[in-house]
Amino acid sequence: MEKGERLDKNENKNNCSLRNGLIPNSNYQNHYLSREKGDGPFVLTHEEQALKASAATSDHDENVDSSEEEPQHEIVEFFEETPLWVAILTYLGYAILILFGHFRDVLRNWKLEKAPVAAEPNKEGWVPLYQSFESFYTRNLYMRIRDCWNRPICSVPGAEFNLMDRETPDHGWTFKFTGGTTKAMNMGSYNYLGFAQTEGLCADAAVEATHKYGCGMCSSRHELGNMDIHTELEELLANFLGVEDCMTFGMGFATNSMNIPIFVNKGCLVLSDELNHASLVLGARLSGATIKVFKHGDVADLEQKLRDAVIYGQARTHRPYRKILILVEGIYSMEGSIVMLPEVIALKKKYKAYLFLDEAHSIGALGPNGRGVVDYFGCDPKDVDILMGTFTKSFGAAGGYIAGTKTLVDYVRHRSHSACYATSMPAPVAQQIITSTKIIMGLDGTDDGSKRRGQLAWNCRYFRRRLHEMGFIIFGNKDSPVVPVLLYCPAKIAAFSRECLQRGLATVVVGFPATPIIESRARFCLSASHTKEMIDKALAIIDEVGDRLSLKYSSMPVPQFSEKDEDFKKR
Amino acid sequence: MFNFLHMCGLAAEATLSTTASWDLYETIQALFQAPSYHLVFEAALILWIVGLLFTKSYSSKVNKLTLTDKEKADLVEEWQPEPLVPNVPEDDPELINIRTRIVDSKLGKYVTLNGQKCLNMASLNFLAMVGKEVIEEEAVKSLKKYGVGACGPRGFYGTVDVHLEEEEKLAQFMGTEEAIVYSYGFATIASAIPAYSKRGDIIFCDEGVCFAIQKGIQASRSKVKMFRHNDTADLERLLTLHAEEERKDVKKARVTRKFLIVEGLYVNYGDICPLPKLMELKWKYKLRLFMDESISFGTLGKTGRGVTEHFNVPIDDVDFISASLENALGSFGGFGCGKSYVIDHQRLSGLGYCFSASTPPMLSQAAIVALDLLKNTPDMVDRLHANSAYLHEKLSRVPGLRVVGDTVSPVLHLQLAESDRKRASAMATLRCIVQMAEEEGVALVVASYLEKDERHLPPPSIRLAVNCDLDEKEMDRVVEVIDHACLASSNS
């Protein structure tokens, strides 16, 4: 949220040294954003918010919750600044790696070192398929720590899973399977509600659907690929989401990339968050519309760009834009942040823009009823023009949906690239979604759904609070099940991943280009299937590894929020 | 200090003028010999450059100054966007199709369409894999081991051992070094093309390619040259024109990759690409050949290995082959195969591979079992060829229709014989035929295209998909029903 808008360095240094002392309010607010909404216009600039919040806290320094008068609307997001010395060390780390990379490239050029990988044969007169600088990073940085990704599993990706053991004789160029497996706690898969299961209602229903409808479809929705199971699924989802209608597709990525082009085209404007997922970016690019990018989660920047677009129209011709579409995600999977939906809705209404909300990570995982970020903020789903989501994460299935008014969905049915040319969703997958949605909605007659939601929400708060207390720098909203822990130095990416796995915890680490170059991070995805004991065990491992690798960079005061029931009601 | 700056300036000048051989000694010599006005001039230039570095770039928002706040507010007030989506009329054929043409059984050789049992000539289930019990059994076993979803992309614990097995078996079957599996048939070629072909590269592409290839090309932002469908003479014309351009700009040609993108068997026309001739052009003009075999994989060639087997062309000579697993294998997803140095690149650059959840393991398992079936019972491909030829021959005798497509192709397009009809009226007639056939118990489908989005809209047709399990009696019935419907529709 606050990236890019930070205090100047002097004040920052102050903040770093004041870890356990009194908190200067102005610094404090910048890193630790407590905001109020629901009081008139949502659109406040950041300075206004900071002022407002610091005014609220200046009376009682120890009071962390600035919006205590209105506890119902409290949003807390964290984006702690990279400490200067860490930034310098990180750049130094990359500099050394790049230097060594070039050195080894020279050795390879002189055939003093062999790269055991299939390279393009040198053919006279042919333009090489890859530019050599394109692959420098891959060859010299990624290859050496490649074992941290693509780890194959051989069981259901539940709370725990089995990893297939691999060994690499040549530092990541090639892998061999040893035949053994390692059991590890799974904090890498997107299994928010724990529906990655091999038994229970969902699995039974999916088995039945396989027997009834088979595995494949071999036809598109415009042709013969319409089954009653699709109709049932779409009616149920529309009901769940609180909208008029809904259409489903076989792949989540394609739901974005193959549908955005039908909403906007030349002469329209797409305003896209800078950290939007590749599928949204591709969809926007394929549409032919003008694309402008606003700072991540920065509502003020969004308003500025919206306003300019409405006032000045298209570049060069200055004709007014035909439509403006705002693309945002509910939860950002690399930041753990939650979109400020009420503010975005207020803006889109003010400027008559349209809103496309990608709930890939938030649907099911957020909100008192599991209806995603719309539910979390108590917004009206009708205020979002296009609701999009995927079934890979919370539903333990695959595919995606577009939902909204009947007019909208009818148009999607008529015009969607996916509906016309791509195979429709296989029946077992559709059935898995139907059953899991019914459980989330409580239509199965049990409280399983609300238990799962409760456990997940508790896990998020508890895990995040404990990490804060240990002194890690973590990003995102306190209610987000995606928890990025900042690692910074390139060498620590692999070290963290390997050390954690050695102790039985499997996690995802990400670095450039998925993140800014210095903000490499580890990402934990919480699940309702994690019990408190598991989370405690994971925390103990993270604590130990964090000490070993000196990862506890935070100089921010430990935020005060808890996983107790009364605190949840504040949401 | 001043001297140093001069030296730098001259050094820069020397490097610019005699790029390769710059000699320190010569520069110092030049420094002493240079006239003083020259040195002053150099100094002024340097100062100017330094000045430029510290001045702000010009503001592109000059026009902002001309509007008052009131005017801005009025403009915001005034602006009315177009509606997000237009209204789709209730009688839109696609809408009606999605709402009312509903199957409640397997999409096998027979389907229950709106409660009525129909012979399925519409879905691309060429090898009758949908409905095979052994596949379902194995899929269910896999479901009981892995659950349904993979819950993550390949990079982040979404790689299940089943996926690795699937890739290995596909590579082995196709006889290539490596294969890569995508979780959506459409996304395979659409992701693969932009992974290689970038802005500035050039793509030669057949006009008749399917929509997925069109989108892939669009995403690549490369320059595109379309040649007439299956017309190698037209392709060669474009290639010679391009060679001409290359000769003019050798520097650019040295960094411009050239791609030739075709379909093995065109889903929109039912004909096979002239691969031997394309290979010839590929070598002659140094093109990378990408071929989508979504229809031909599993259906062409003696053992179903596709167009390369059909023409007996070594598969390694084709740079990249992609295919959907959603047709002949009756599963879900797609794959690409070729040399390792080609395929491996997609594991970091294929958007649909990196950023999408992997295929549900049970569906990958279904594909593996189907592939094993295809490998072990190659006679299903023979039967498919025989059925295609039979139907082709019989249908070409139906008056009022024209059959388009190769006799060996399992996809047949039935067009109206009178070619001067308006598109809308032809579509209406074809829909009428489909409707009547459905009442007679044969499920057909009018090939569906997004008329506004296709680069080259294929003519309207009924697309027939041949199933290897059809027997002669069933095929005769199909022909008879179509014949009747055709006659009735021309009378009405």
Side-chain angles (χ1 to χ4, degrees):
Chain A
M1 176 67 233
E2 282 295 307
K3 289 168 76 177
E5 187 147 331
R6 284 164 176 164
L7 295 181
D8 63 65
K9 280 171 191 150
N10 288 336
E11 279 178 306
N12 230 336
K13 274 184 201 151
N14 276 341
N15 193 20
C16 294
S17 60
L18 277 169
R19 180 157 155 64
N20 292 315
L22 275 178
I23 306 143
N25 290 318
S26 54
N27 291 351
Y28 180 72
Q29 279 309 323
N30 204 326
H31 296 301
Y32 184 101
L33 200 67
S34 298
R35 288 210 269 174
E36 305 162 32
K37 63 185 189 66
D39 49 352
F42 293 120
V43 196
L44 305 176
T45 65
H46 289 291
E47 291 91 313
E48 280 172 327
Q49 282 160 5
L51 271 179
K52 222 171 162 181
S54 64
T57 39
S58 57
D59 298 333
H60 25 226
D61 272 344
E62 295 301 322
N63 188 357
V64 172
D65 191 355
S66 65
S67 52
E68 215 169 50
E69 290 82 18
E70 287 184 341
Q72 302 242 311
H73 306 289
E74 179 209 346
I75 307 150
V76 183
E77 294 220 336
F78 310 89
F79 287 102
E80 195 174 342
E81 176 99 358
T82 310
L84 188 63
W85 62 277
V86 178
I88 292 170
L89 275 183
T90 309
Y91 279 122
L92 201 67
Y94 276 106
I96 293 170
L97 280 170
I98 288 168
L99 221 64
F100 260 89
H102 280 299
F103 176 63
R104 299 186 74 173
D105 268 5
V106 169
L107 289 187
R108 282 180 204 122
N109 253 353
W110 292 346
K111 312 270 181 233
L112 292 175
E113 186 185 328
K114 238 178 94 187
V117 74
E120 185 177 8
N122 225 340
K123 281 183 286 185
E124 181 60 36
W126 289 69
V127 182
L129 199 48
Y130 317 111
Q131 300 291 341
S132 107
F133 61 81
E134 279 172 17
S135 48
F136 176 85
Y137 185 85
T138 314
R139 193 169 53 237
N140 292 307
L141 282 81
Y142 170 72
M143 273 299 172
R144 307 177 62 152
I145 56 171
R146 200 155 72 112
D147 57 306
C148 301
W149 292 277
N150 298 301
R151 287 181 183 143
I153 65 172
C154 51
S155 70
V156 62
E160 285 180 330
F161 56 12
N162 294 324
L163 294 165
M164 293 167 75
D165 293 342
R166 307 183 282 185
E167 55 180 25
T168 166
D170 42 20
H171 302 285
W173 291 95
T174 56
F175 287 101
K176 262 189 229 123
F177 291 103
T178 60
T181 61
T182 304
K183 191 167 185 165
M185 209 183 315
N186 176 8
M187 284 204 164
S189 300
Y190 309 124
N191 178 26
Y192 299 131
L193 290 179
F195 280 112
Q197 288 171 313
T198 53
E199 44 197 26
L201 285 181
C202 287
D204 293 346
V207 169
E208 210 174 291
T210 314
H211 287 307
K212 184 173 175 201
Y213 298 102
C215 293
M217 304 296 292
C218 306
S219 194
S220 75
R221 294 296 293 273
H222 276 192
E223 293 174 351
L224 205 63
N226 290 299
M227 285 184 171
D228 50 353
I229 199 166
H230 294 127
T231 321
E232 185 190 347
L233 169 63
E234 285 167 5
E235 277 169 11
L236 180 74
L237 271 173
N239 193 353
F240 170 59
L241 297 166
V243 290
E244 288 173 12
D245 210 344
C246 168
M247 180 167 189
T248 55
F249 306 91
M251 183 200 200
F253 184 96
T255 309
N256 279 334
S257 63
M258 294 169 81
N259 285 318
I260 294 173
I262 69 173
F263 299 121
V264 280
N265 41 37
K266 205 166 171 285
C268 301
L269 174 70
V270 170
L271 278 168
S272 171
D273 190 292
E274 66 179 338
L275 296 181
N276 272 347
H277 190 254
S279 56
L280 289 164
V281 176
L282 177 64
R285 205 202 284 166
L286 288 177
S287 73
T290 310
I291 302 169
K292 285 190 179 155
V293 173
F294 63 91
K295 282 188 204 136
H296 172 57
D298 189 338
V299 184
D301 190 39
L302 171 62
E303 171 158 29
Q304 188 57 48
K305 300 226 154 99
L306 250 180
R307 205 175 154 77
D308 281 355
V310 174
I311 293 172
Y312 300 110
Q314 302 183 34
R316 291 162 59 80
T317 62
H318 294 288
R319 295 277 163 81
Y321 283 108
R322 290 168 43 216
K323 317 174 210 182
I324 299 177
L325 184 66
I326 304 171
L327 296 184
V328 289
E329 287 183 50
I331 293 180
Y332 286 84
S333 67
M334 289 294 164
E335 308 297 301
S337 52
I338 296 178
V339 65
M340 296 294 163
L341 189 64
E343 301 179 8
V344 176
I345 287 179
L347 274 188
K348 86 146 209 144
K349 281 185 176 163
K350 186 172 166 193
Y351 294 98
K352 299 177 216 114
Y354 300 108
L355 178 58
F356 184 108
L357 175 64
D358 178 342
E359 296 231 46
H361 287 266
S362 50
I363 190 69
L366 271 189
N369 306 299
R371 290 176 194 154
V373 67
V374 179
D375 191 24
Y376 177 76
F377 287 109
C379 296
D380 185 351
K382 293 182 182 68
D383 283 340
V384 181
D385 300 280
I386 308 164
L387 283 163
M388 179 270 166
T390 68
F391 304 119
T392 321
K393 286 100 188 179
S394 298
F395 300 83
Y401 65 81
I402 296 263
T405 60
K406 190 174 162 297
T407 321
L408 176 99
V409 178
D410 275 354
Y411 176 68
V412 173
R413 292 204 168 104
H414 162 76
R415 186 77 190 277
S416 166
H417 300 171
S418 187
C420 185
Y421 298 104
T423 310
S424 48
M425 183 186 278
V429 178
Q431 185 60 53
Q432 164 84 12
I433 304 165
I434 291 177
T435 317
S436 53
T437 310
K438 281 185 176 164
I439 294 174
I440 296 171
M441 292 171 81
L443 294 179
D444 60 332
T446 68
D447 61 350
D448 186 18
S450 75
K451 265 191 192 155
R452 284 174 196 252
R453 270 199 302 282
Q455 180 75 43
L456 177 65
W458 189 92
N459 286 356
C460 295
R461 290 263 183 110
Y462 178 68
F463 188 72
R464 280 178 168 272
R465 178 175 67 80
R466 290 285 309 275
L467 285 180
H468 275 302
E469 283 167 7
M470 288 175 193
F472 289 100
I473 294 186
I474 65 176
F475 275 1
N477 192 294
K478 67 176 183 208
D479 287 319
S480 151
V482 181
V483 188
V485 172
L486 273 289
L487 305 173
Y488 300 110
C489 297
K492 290 183 183 177
I493 302 175
F496 187 81
S497 177
R498 288 171 189 156
E499 293 287 319
C500 282
L501 187 62
Q502 233 171 41
R503 290 165 173 80
L505 173 66
T507 181
V508 164
V509 284
V510 272
F512 183 79
T515 67
I517 189 120
I518 62 165
E519 289 179 359
S520 308
R521 61 198 67 171
R523 190 184 65 182
F524 299 94
C525 287
L526 296 166
S527 162
S529 57
H530 294 140
T531 59
K532 180 172 184 295
E533 291 72 48
M534 286 170 145
I535 291 196
D536 280 334
K537 202 178 128 202
L539 282 165
I541 293 171
I542 298 166
D543 192 27
E544 193 188 326
V545 175
D547 280 332
R548 232 183 113 99
L549 304 179
S550 338
L551 287 172
K552 297 177 176 176
Y553 296 116
S554 179
S555 54
M556 192 177 83
V558 178
Q560 304 290 308
F561 62 80
S562 81
E563 53 284 356
K564 295 198 188 85
D565 275 353
E566 55 266 34
D567 273 18
F568 271 111
K569 289 194 187 97
K570 281 187 186 172
R571 215 171 33 184
Chain B
M1 183 65 198
F2 193 59
N3 265 344
F4 174 70
L5 276 177
H6 281 296
M7 257 175 66
C8 289
L10 283 171
E13 203 186 38
T15 0
L16 279 177
S17 53
T18 62
T19 40
S21 62
W22 167 64
D23 190 6
L24 190 69
Y25 176 73
E26 275 174 27
T27 315
I28 295 169
Q29 288 287 312
L31 188 69
F32 288 126
Q33 285 163 13
S36 55
Y37 72 86
H38 187 98
L39 295 179
V40 171
F41 179 67
E42 293 279 344
L45 271 183
I46 288 166
L47 285 177
W48 184 54
I49 289 170
V50 171
L52 272 184
L53 284 178
F54 287 99
T55 46
K56 271 192 174 170
S57 58
Y58 76 98
S59 164
S60 60
K61 293 168 182 172
V62 183
N63 47 11
K64 272 188 181 170
L65 299 171
T66 56
L67 291 178
T68 65
D69 282 352
K70 169 84 172 63
E71 284 168 324
K72 284 183 185 173
D74 286 350
L75 278 170
V76 170
E77 194 58 41
E78 237 172 68
W79 182 63
Q80 278 303 332
E82 284 178 17
L84 179 58
V85 295
N87 267 315
V88 180
E90 281 297 310
D91 62 349
D92 178 76
E94 272 82 43
L95 265 191
I96 293 175
N97 189 66
I98 288 189
R99 287 211 191 116
T100 62
R101 221 165 166 230
I102 291 173
V103 175
D104 62 353
S105 70
K106 284 171 202 174
L107 276 164
K109 190 168 88 169
Y110 282 94
V111 292
T112 318
L113 184 55
N114 295 334
Q116 184 199 0
K117 191 178 168 195
C118 290
L119 186 59
N120 176 7
M121 298 300 291
S123 68
L124 308 173
N125 182 23
F126 306 123
L127 299 179
M129 293 294 183
V130 174
K132 283 223 163 51
E133 238 168 63
V134 46
I135 296 180
E136 281 156 27
E137 282 314 316
E138 287 298 316
V140 163
K141 259 189 224 161
S142 175
L143 193 161
K144 286 182 176 161
K145 185 174 175 199
Y146 302 103
V148 176
C151 286
R154 288 290 296 264
F156 302 159
Y157 303 105
T159 304
V160 183
D161 50 0
V162 182
H163 296 133
L164 298 176
E165 186 189 345
E166 189 184 15
E167 284 175 351
E168 200 183 308
K169 288 209 160 157
L170 281 166
Q172 204 183 28
F173 179 78
M174 294 300 284
T176 55
E177 280 180 8
E178 198 170 333
I180 181 169
V181 171
Y182 282 76
S183 58
Y184 208 36
F186 190 99
T188 314
I189 187 72
S191 296
I193 294 172
Y196 303 97
S197 185
K198 309 282 182 195
R199 197 192 284 275
D201 293 336
I202 184 159
I203 294 174
F204 296 90
C205 178
D206 191 292
E207 260 179 20
V209 291
C210 63
F211 200 68
I213 295 182
Q214 295 172 34
K215 288 290 127 182
I217 290 173
Q218 197 191 337
S220 75
R221 301 194 267 191
S222 307
K223 198 169 161 197
V224 192
K225 297 203 172 171
M226 297 291 228
F227 59 93
R228 275 201 300 278
H229 176 55
N230 268 354
D231 185 344
T232 45
D234 194 35
L235 170 62
E236 187 146 25
R237 181 183 64 83
L238 290 177
L239 287 169
T240 35
L241 276 180
H242 183 70
E244 199 66 33
E245 275 174 46
E246 276 189 339
R247 236 165 283 139
K248 278 185 207 147
D249 194 347
V250 181
K251 231 179 189 175
K252 195 175 154 204
R254 232 180 283 146
V255 292
T256 307
R257 283 169 285 233
K258 289 172 285 178
F259 295 87
L260 173 59
I261 300 180
V262 295
E263 258 181 273
L265 197 164
Y266 288 85
V267 63
N268 293 345
Y269 296 90
D271 50 8
I272 302 170
C273 70
L275 190 61
K277 179 72 190 164
L278 292 176
M279 294 308 298
E280 213 178 279
L281 293 175
K282 172 201 146 116
W283 295 121
K284 187 170 168 195
Y285 293 93
K286 302 193 165 56
L287 307 167
R288 312 268 174 182
L289 177 59
F290 281 26
M291 183 160 71
D292 184 61
E293 295 223 54
S294 288
I295 304 294
S296 47
F297 168 70
T299 64
L300 281 192
K302 217 180 142 28
T303 57
R305 280 164 174 83
V307 179
T308 46
E309 189 185 25
H310 179 81
F311 285 117
N312 209 7
V313 168
I315 196 158
D316 279 345
D317 287 353
V318 181
D319 293 87
F320 177 73
I321 287 180
S322 71
S324 170
L325 298 167
E326 292 158 6
N327 302 331
L329 291 195
S331 176
F332 206 62
F335 74 95
C337 60
K339 289 272 190 195
S340 281
Y341 78 87
V342 178
I343 300 299
D344 226 28
H345 180 65
Q346 287 176 52
R347 298 195 193 271
L348 286 175
S349 306
L351 284 183
Y353 179 87
C354 295
F355 293 101
S356 163
S358 50
T359 326
M362 62 175 294
L363 297 173
S364 288
Q365 186 63 46
I368 292 175
V369 181
L371 188 67
D372 285 343
L373 277 176
L374 169 61
K375 211 167 10 182
N376 299 333
T377 43
D379 74 297
M380 55 170 86
V381 183
D382 293 338
R383 278 186 283 134
L384 182 69
H385 291 168
N387 284 357
S388 303
Y390 186 85
L391 263 176
H392 216 279
E393 206 266 329
K394 290 270 163 165
L395 281 168
S396 56
R397 290 193 215 148
V398 174
L401 285 181
R402 187 172 59 228
V403 184
V404 177
D406 279 14
T407 47
V408 69
S409 159
V411 169
L412 281 78
H413 284 269
L414 304 178
Q415 297 173 359
L416 293 178
E418 351 150 34
S419 52
D420 52 340
R421 294 271 292 273
K422 282 241 167 61
R423 188 169 185 98
S425 118
M427 287 292 271
T429 310
L430 291 174
R431 284 201 184 97
C432 180
I433 295 174
V434 169
Q435 181 63 35
M436 278 189 266
E438 188 181 315
E439 280 158 23
E440 298 283 318
V442 174
L444 299 177
V445 70
V446 177
S448 174
Y449 305 109
L450 296 174
E451 298 184 6
K452 288 181 190 144
D453 298 300
E454 286 276 355
R455 264 186 111 111
H456 293 273
L457 190 60
S461 64
I462 291 175
R463 196 186 61 225
L464 221 67
V466 183
N467 184 318
C468 70
D469 276 1
L470 291 171
D471 58 31
E472 240 168 63
K473 220 171 103 195
E474 286 162 332
M475 288 190 282
D476 286 341
R477 210 173 128 244
V478 170
V479 176
E480 189 188 338
V481 166
I482 291 176
D483 194 6
H484 279 179
C486 212
L487 196 68
S489 72
S490 60
N491 290 343
S492 66

